[in-house]
Amino acid sequence: MHLASVYDPGGGGFFPHVTEAAPEDKEAKVRESLDLIARKYLPHPLNATLHVVAGTPSEKLVALAGQLCVDLIVLVSRGASGRWPLRRATVEYVTVNAPCAVLVLPVLDKPGSDGESVAHSNSDS
C-alpha cells in the first residue's frame, strides 16, 4: 500500500520572496501528518510506503500512480474545504487522467460538524 500527499512548496503567493516556511519544513510537517494517519487508521502489521511530493496535486498524483504501477487510487473529496479532502478540480483531473481505476469517497461528517447543521436546515424545510 502507498499513501501519498502533495504539498505546495511555494510561499507568499503575491509576494514570492515571502514564505511561511521553508520547503523542507513543509515537507517534514506533511510527512509527519501522513505518518500519523497511517499509524492511526491502518492495521498494525500492514506496512505502507509514504510518499510526500511537492507540486500540483492532480499532476503529481497521476504521475506517481503511473510510476508505481498502482491498481487503484482512492481519493477523498468534498470540494474545496477541509484539510485533507481534495478540491473538485483535482479529483476530476485524476479520474480522467489516471493510469488505473479511481475510487472517490466523500468525507463523512463527524457529529457536531457540518453534518448536524445540514440536518437541522433540512428539518426546517
Side-chain angles (χ1 to χ4, degrees):
M1 174 179 279
H2 297 271
L3 296 177
S5 185
V6 182
Y7 70 97
D8 179 6
F14 185 74
F15 302 102
H17 60 284
V18 177
T19 60
E20 6 178 278
E24 300 81 25
D25 295 338
K26 285 185 178 183
E27 180 179 350
K29 193 170 195 166
V30 171
R31 184 173 299 281
E32 181 181 328
S33 295
L34 196 57
D35 182 59
L36 287 173
I37 289 171
R39 286 189 283 142
K40 182 175 181 179
Y41 293 108
L42 296 180
H44 180 60
L46 181 64
N47 290 326
T49 303
L50 305 182
H51 303 274
V52 177
V53 183
T56 305
S58 53
E59 295 170 2
K60 294 296 183 175
L61 290 172
V62 169
L64 185 62
Q67 183 180 35
L68 298 172
C69 299
V70 300
D71 298 318
L72 174 67
I73 297 173
V74 179
L75 303 173
V76 178
S77 175
R78 73 167 181 196
S81 62
R83 178 180 170 125
W84 290 98
L86 296 172
R87 293 179 35 219
R88 183 174 297 139
T90 301
V91 172
E92 289 174 359
Y93 182 92
V94 172
T95 56
V96 169
N97 295 292
C100 60
V102 178
L103 175 63
V104 180
L105 302 173
V107 171
L108 299 176
D109 289 324
K110 295 180 182 178
S113 68
D114 295 337
E116 283 189 3
S117 62
V118 170
H120 177 67
S121 64
N122 287 343
S123 64
D124 291 342
S125 308

